[in-house]
Amino acid sequence: MHAISQKTINSSVSCSGVGIHSGSKVTITLHQAPIDSGIIFRRTDIDAEKSIVKANYKNVVETNLGTTISNEFGVKISTIEHLMAAIWGSKIDNLFIDIDNQEVPIMDGSSEPFIFLLECAGINIQNAARRIIEVTKTVRIEDGDKFVEVEPATDFSIDFSIDFNHKDIQKQNFIFHSTLASFKNDICCARTFGFKNEIEYLNKNGLAKGGSLDNAIVIGDDGVINKEGLRYQNEFARHKTLDFIGDIYLAGFYIVGHFKAFKSGHGLNNKMLHKLLADESAWKMA
Ligand SMILES: [Zn+2]
């Protein structure tokens, strides 16, 4: 008998919303998937033979405004990170995600609606051991003053620091240790955020069309514009941690290691996975 089993969901569940960049209405439906499937997106608006895009770091094609994956036919799924983080947080290994448009709905800008959806679906424990990547040596990647580092550890943890040149954010740090804290209580509610002047620029360029105060924290000259304020004092660092977890789950497996990140984003998160997994002396499958 194995200590940790693979998991999928019990019953199919759906939710609808808008894509934060496309502004398009989109519905996702989650279905059970067999042992060793991993997380697989299926575009229901595309011919079936071209519709499958595996949630894998090698399929990442854009990291500018979110994480976008693509298959060999150029069929894309964008802004996958908050959903991926919720799947990680729910400890689900195998899942089919049917989606009728390119961009995953933004919902409230956090992972909470997806955690709720996965709780509604229930967990199905599968008769196979969960496969885990164990980091066996320190790996570090840098980009200017930004970096991500991982070292061997007994479980997953992340120490994430941000440093924005803005009076309302500046330096923030959040440490998440998977055995001491819970994704649901400590990370999942943290929302995406942006600066008012940046959002105006994106809007002019046909982006962030679905963005609003209902799905993002917006920071103006006089601080946070959202009437309800922040959900956590360091919500920005917690959201970056959420993004990190969603991006790192594109390894295809749960990773055991202690990560440290400074000012990292989707691009550097993905480069970290490429560097770590390309070095076969730095990890082993357990
Ligand atoms: Zn995010």
Coordinates of all heavy atoms in Angstrom, one line a residue, residues 65 164 193-205 207-208 218-219:
L65 N 1.8 38.4 -19.8 CA 0.7 38.8 -19.0 C 0.0 37.7 -18.2 O -1.0 37.9 -17.6 CB -0.4 39.5 -19.9 CG 0.1 40.8 -20.6 CD1 -0.8 41.1 -21.7 CD2 0.3 41.9 -19.6
F164 N 8.6 46.3 -5.2 CA 8.0 47.2 -6.2 C 8.4 48.6 -5.9 O 8.3 49.0 -4.7 CB 6.5 47.1 -6.3 CG 6.0 45.9 -7.1 CD1 5.9 44.6 -6.5 CD2 5.6 46.0 -8.4 CE1 5.5 43.5 -7.2 CE2 5.2 44.9 -9.2 CZ 5.1 43.7 -8.6
F193 N -3.1 41.7 -9.3 CA -3.1 43.1 -9.1 C -2.5 43.8 -10.2 O -1.7 43.2 -11.0 CB -2.5 43.5 -7.8 CG -1.0 43.0 -7.7 CD1 0.0 43.8 -8.0 CD2 -0.7 41.7 -7.2 CE1 1.4 43.4 -7.9 CE2 0.6 41.2 -7.1 CZ 1.6 42.1 -7.5
G194 N -2.8 45.1 -10.4 CA -2.2 45.9 -11.4 C -2.2 47.4 -11.1 O -3.0 47.8 -10.2
F195 N -1.4 48.1 -11.7 CA -1.4 49.6 -11.5 C -2.3 50.3 -12.5 O -2.4 49.9 -13.7 CB 0.0 50.1 -11.7 CG 1.0 49.5 -10.7 CD1 1.8 48.4 -11.0 CD2 1.0 49.9 -9.3 CE1 2.6 47.8 -10.1 CE2 1.8 49.4 -8.4 CZ 2.6 48.3 -8.8
K196 N -3.0 51.3 -12.1 CA -4.0 51.9 -12.9 C -3.5 52.4 -14.2 O -4.0 52.2 -15.3 CB -4.6 53.1 -12.1 CG -5.8 53.7 -12.8 CD -6.6 54.6 -11.8 CE -7.8 55.3 -12.4 NZ -7.4 56.5 -13.3
N197 N -2.3 53.0 -14.2 CA -1.7 53.6 -15.4 C -1.3 52.4 -16.4 O -1.5 52.6 -17.6 CB -0.5 54.5 -15.2 CG 0.6 53.8 -14.3 OD1 0.4 52.7 -13.8 ND2 1.7 54.5 -14.2
E198 N -0.8 51.3 -15.8 CA -0.5 50.1 -16.7 C -1.8 49.6 -17.3 O -1.7 49.1 -18.5 CB 0.1 49.0 -15.8 CG 1.6 49.2 -15.6 CD 2.2 48.1 -14.8 OE1 1.5 47.0 -14.6 OE2 3.3 48.3 -14.2
I199 N -2.8 49.5 -16.6 CA -4.1 48.9 -17.1 C -4.7 49.8 -18.2 O -5.1 49.3 -19.2 CB -5.1 48.8 -15.9 CG1 -4.6 47.7 -15.0 CG2 -6.5 48.4 -16.4 CD1 -5.2 47.6 -13.6
E200 N -4.5 51.1 -18.0 CA -5.0 52.1 -19.1 C -4.2 51.8 -20.4 O -4.7 51.8 -21.4 CB -4.9 53.5 -18.6 CG -6.0 53.9 -17.6 CD -5.7 55.1 -16.8 OE1 -4.6 55.7 -16.9 OE2 -6.6 55.5 -16.0
Y201 N -2.9 51.6 -20.2 CA -2.0 51.3 -21.3 C -2.4 50.0 -22.0 O -2.5 49.9 -23.2 CB -0.6 51.2 -20.9 CG 0.4 50.8 -22.0 CD1 0.9 51.7 -22.9 CD2 0.8 49.5 -22.1 CE1 1.7 51.3 -23.9 CE2 1.7 49.1 -23.1 CZ 2.2 50.0 -24.0 OH 3.0 49.6 -25.0
L202 N -2.7 49.0 -21.2 CA -3.1 47.7 -21.8 C -4.4 47.8 -22.5 O -4.6 47.3 -23.6 CB -3.2 46.6 -20.6 CG -1.9 46.1 -20.0 CD1 -2.2 45.3 -18.8 CD2 -1.1 45.3 -21.0
N203 N -5.4 48.5 -21.9 CA -6.7 48.7 -22.5 C -6.5 49.4 -23.9 O -7.2 49.0 -24.9 CB -7.6 49.6 -21.7 CG -8.1 48.9 -20.4 OD1 -8.4 49.5 -19.4 ND2 -8.2 47.5 -20.5
K204 N -5.6 50.4 -24.0 CA -5.4 51.1 -25.3 C -4.9 50.1 -26.3 O -5.1 50.3 -27.5 CB -4.4 52.2 -25.1 CG -5.0 53.5 -24.7 CD -4.0 54.6 -24.7 CE -4.5 55.8 -23.8 NZ -3.5 56.3 -23.0
N205 N -4.2 49.0 -25.9 CA -3.6 48.1 -26.8 C -4.5 46.8 -26.9 O -4.0 45.7 -27.3 CB -2.2 47.7 -26.3 CG -1.2 48.9 -26.6 OD1 -0.8 49.1 -27.7 ND2 -1.0 49.7 -25.6
L207 N -5.8 45.0 -24.6 CA -5.6 43.9 -23.6 C -6.3 44.3 -22.3 O -6.8 45.4 -22.1 CB -4.1 43.7 -23.3 CG -3.4 43.2 -24.5 CD1 -1.9 43.4 -24.4 CD2 -3.6 41.7 -24.7
A208 N -6.4 43.3 -21.4 CA -7.0 43.5 -20.1 C -8.5 43.9 -20.3 O -9.0 44.7 -19.5 CB -6.3 44.5 -19.2
V218 N -6.6 47.0 -8.0 CA -6.1 48.1 -8.9 C -5.5 49.2 -7.9 O -6.1 49.6 -7.0 CB -7.1 48.7 -9.8 CG1 -6.5 49.8 -10.7 CG2 -7.7 47.6 -10.7
I219 N -4.2 49.5 -8.2 CA -3.5 50.5 -7.4 C -3.4 51.8 -8.2 O -2.8 51.8 -9.3 CB -2.1 49.9 -7.0 CG1 -2.3 48.6 -6.3 CG2 -1.3 50.9 -6.1 CD1 -1.2 47.6 -6.6

